[in-house]
Amino acid sequence: MTAPRLQQTLERDRSELGRFGYAQELLRSMGGFSNFAVSFSIISILTGAVTLYGYGLEMGGPAEMTFGWPLVLFFTLIVAACMGELASAFPTAGGMYHWAAALGGPAWGWFTACFNIIGLIAAVAGIDYGCAQFLAPFLGLESSPRNLLVVYFLVLLSHGLINHYSIRLVALLNDLSVTVHILGVILIVGALFFFAPKQPASFLLRTINSNGRPYFWGFALGLLQAQWTFTGYDASAHLAEETADPRRRVPWAIILSVAVSGVVGYLLLLGLTLAIGDLPATLTAKDAQGNNLPAVIAILDAALGGRAGMLVSAFTAVAMWFCGLSTITSNSRAVYALARDQGMPWSSLYKSISLRHQTPVAAIWLSVGLAFVALIYSGAYSVVTSLSVVGLYTAYILPIFLGWRADRKGRKWQRGPWHLGRFSQPLYLIAAAWTLFICVTMMMPPNELSAKTMLAATLALMVLYLGFTRKRFQAPVWALRGENAPSNLESPRQEVSMPSGLSVDMPHRDVATKPKIPSEP
């Protein structure tokens, strides 16, 4: 893109953001590839597919890898397509929060934002603790709980510092992350294909009846491996205010991050599964200190030797580090967007932007601190990952449901240039049904702590909203209208204008002294 055309695009983006009532405060420096790279890095096939490989294998056996991954990929693409349509209509850093507020009102938006933040906090905890597990051996440390906690803290600290000082460096590292992930998968799959002994293709159909469960139920529980991998692609929406031409680029980034991860990840899973020599030994493997050995490392050690296992550990640790870096970026923008509308305690602190670095510093460090506490609380890797899936997919599906409901009630909302056309309604229903199924499944034993946590969190959020937030929450500009309608939401009823004399003193909104509410289209 030429410099004059880029400047014209940035000016248009700034103007469109102003129509939503917000000033351009964040640095809009990302292109389409960098936006895609952030979501691709958070999906991170070398994180979810590798760290939970043993869990999926134990629950459903090789057949879990053969059928579970493409099943989850298919329905996740439907969810991602619905989110892409909404991202094109509402290109703001609030992401799902603003979509839900636009289509259902401020209360829906606030709860969506909170579930999104809960899911991202749990995601950071799962990603960075997994990174610590793979890093500890390289640092010459025994994998004791205390040592892993120290390494986990240092990983979180590095992510906080980089996000604090430079969004340009974050974008550069995420671009590099795409190379690391794809190169890592090529090396692993290539080595397994050319050098490792392989099982016959029929091995891919083998099942395991874990703990006496019916196989269908074990298979459903094992879907956590794939579903947790396919989380975090909402990051592209959260970075809309930092991306040029977000109405077109953000939806494609969401879709492509899921699709590319799905294809590359499936090759990785098939290669690993066919290289399993002894299935029971793989599931019970121990390291020299008697600690549980990740199933992927056990497979590579047996198939290619210890050095190959160490090489894969190195690639996996680097990929996880990139993944955690991107997730902190996404979470901090979700916090910033909610605080910008006075939607949380100490909002004036968390909506502040560093004038020097143009990053939401307080929101970044809050994300780091809460992720550290979340890991200590959850105590089990599968629990924190299932909590991440439930929190994030609840936030994903609420605005999708609200968009479907708005259409059904005749409140047609104006799509952006990227839309699903006549397929919108049926795809929204399919996305909602899948999300309901996966959220219920992820809270079943052995991950019942995630169900208790979500219930407790929901009750706490209700108390917080009714007792504190509802009185102070300024909500997105469009939610101040009588119809709770944004500027691009059409209503069959008579238009309701702003109350006479209404003025909102918010320096983080539009550059004018009070919000500009454009007329209905």
Side-chain angles (χ1 to χ4, degrees):
M1 186 179 294
T2 62
R5 185 179 176 186
L6 176 60
Q7 187 60 39
Q8 185 180 28
T9 299
L10 295 178
E11 179 60 27
R12 183 193 65 208
D13 295 340
R14 186 205 65 77
S15 177
E16 287 189 347
L17 184 60
R19 292 179 65 247
F20 283 91
Y22 298 110
Q24 182 68 56
E25 295 180 301
L26 298 168
L27 181 63
R28 196 180 288 273
S29 61
M30 284 190 174
F33 182 81
S34 292
N35 187 283
F36 154 82
V38 172
S39 287
F40 183 83
S41 296
I42 295 179
I43 291 175
S44 185
I45 48 181
L46 288 176
T47 300
V50 169
T51 56
L52 283 176
Y53 181 88
Y55 178 87
L57 192 65
E58 180 182 0
M59 291 296 174
E64 182 78 52
M65 308 302 159
T66 306
F67 301 111
W69 185 273
L71 177 68
V72 171
L73 173 61
F74 174 77
F75 286 105
T76 302
L77 281 170
I78 294 176
V79 176
C82 297
M83 291 172 64
E85 181 174 78
L86 292 165
S88 183
F90 309 106
T92 61
M96 291 81 68
Y97 155 48
H98 282 168
W99 309 346
L103 298 166
W108 283 100
W110 188 83
F111 279 95
T112 298
C114 292
F115 284 123
N116 187 205
I117 292 169
I118 290 171
L120 286 170
I121 289 168
V124 173
I127 294 161
D128 281 4
Y129 191 75
C131 182
Q133 289 177 315
F134 277 76
L135 275 177
F138 290 98
L139 300 176
L141 299 174
E142 181 182 346
S143 297
S144 65
R146 181 179 179 181
N147 288 343
L148 290 177
L149 199 61
V150 171
V151 178
Y152 172 58
F153 171 78
L154 294 175
V155 171
L156 277 173
L157 181 64
S158 69
H159 290 157
L161 289 171
I162 292 175
N163 272 281
H164 179 138
Y165 286 105
S166 178
I167 186 58
R168 284 194 174 98
L169 181 57
V170 170
L172 178 64
L173 290 172
N174 280 310
D175 292 351
L176 178 61
S177 172
V178 176
T179 303
V180 169
H181 277 83
I182 293 179
L183 180 61
V185 171
I186 290 173
L187 288 175
I188 295 170
V189 174
L192 292 172
F193 180 80
F194 288 108
F195 303 111
K198 290 175 282 295
Q199 295 279 4
S202 59
F203 183 75
L204 294 173
L205 305 179
R206 184 172 173 180
T207 62
I208 290 179
N209 190 8
S210 177
N211 297 323
R213 300 184 184 95
Y215 181 73
F216 169 79
W217 189 237
F219 179 88
L221 292 172
L223 294 177
L224 173 62
Q225 180 211 14
Q227 197 65 72
W228 186 60
T229 305
F230 292 118
T231 55
Y233 46 89
D234 56 300
S236 292
H238 290 305
L239 292 168
E241 293 181 28
E242 295 160 83
T243 303
D245 195 14
R247 287 188 184 271
R248 292 173 175 80
R249 287 176 167 174
V250 168
W252 279 118
I254 293 173
I255 292 289
L256 289 176
S257 63
V258 173
V260 174
S261 298
V263 173
V264 177
Y266 196 47
L267 294 176
L268 174 64
L269 291 181
L270 294 181
L272 288 169
T273 304
L274 288 173
I276 295 175
D278 186 325
L279 186 54
T282 298
L283 293 172
T284 58
K286 306 285 185 181
D287 62 15
Q289 289 78 35
N291 300 305
N292 291 329
L293 192 65
V296 170
I297 303 303
I299 293 169
L300 293 166
D301 281 353
L304 301 173
R307 290 184 178 180
M310 291 295 287
L311 177 62
V312 172
S313 294
F315 262 105
T316 303
V318 172
M320 290 178 181
W321 187 89
F322 282 126
C323 181
L325 176 72
S326 302
T327 310
I328 287 290
T329 306
S330 180
N331 194 24
S332 64
R333 272 42 174 195
V335 170
Y336 160 78
L338 185 60
R340 184 170 59 177
D341 293 324
Q342 306 299 320
M344 56 188 296
W346 304 292
S347 288
S348 59
L349 172 64
Y350 296 120
K351 71 180 180 182
S352 61
I353 299 290
S354 166
L355 296 178
R356 181 177 180 182
H357 305 295
Q358 290 184 268
T359 56
V361 171
I364 290 168
W365 290 109
L366 177 67
S367 302
V368 169
L370 290 177
F372 186 77
V373 172
L375 190 281
I376 296 175
Y377 163 75
S378 64
Y381 197 77
S382 64
V383 171
V384 75
T385 52
S386 62
L387 180 61
S388 172
V389 170
V390 174
L392 286 173
Y393 273 85
T394 299
Y396 293 174
I397 208 59
L398 285 177
I400 292 175
F401 163 74
L402 292 170
W404 174 83
R405 190 185 70 168
D407 283 342
R408 295 286 292 178
K409 289 187 175 182
R411 298 174 63 229
K412 298 295 183 181
W413 47 281
Q414 182 180 334
R415 268 66 172 179
W418 198 102
H419 58 85
L420 300 173
R422 61 190 178 89
F423 297 104
S424 177
Q425 285 281 294
L427 289 179
Y428 277 30
L429 282 178
I430 294 171
W434 172 255
T435 301
L436 180 62
F437 163 73
I438 208 68
C439 286
V440 171
T441 303
M442 295 303 101
M443 292 188 290
M444 294 294 105
N447 302 316
E448 62 270 24
L449 180 58
S450 62
K452 297 176 182 177
T453 303
M454 285 300 296
L455 177 60
T458 301
L459 294 175
L461 290 175
M462 291 176 66
V463 171
L464 178 63
Y465 184 79
L466 294 174
F468 174 84
T469 306
R470 185 173 59 173
K471 301 175 183 178
R472 296 166 175 82
F473 186 37
Q474 294 175 345
V477 171
W478 56 75
L480 297 173
R481 301 173 65 104
E483 290 289 324
N484 291 330
S487 60
N488 64 340
L489 190 66
E490 301 169 355
S491 173
R493 295 179 291 275
Q494 184 177 1
E495 180 181 353
V496 179
S497 60
M498 291 282 286
S500 175
L502 177 60
S503 176
V504 184
D505 182 17
M506 290 178 289
H508 286 265
R509 290 261 168 91
D510 194 67
V511 288
T513 57
K514 64 181 181 179
K516 289 175 61 180
I517 306 296
S519 60
E520 298 278 2

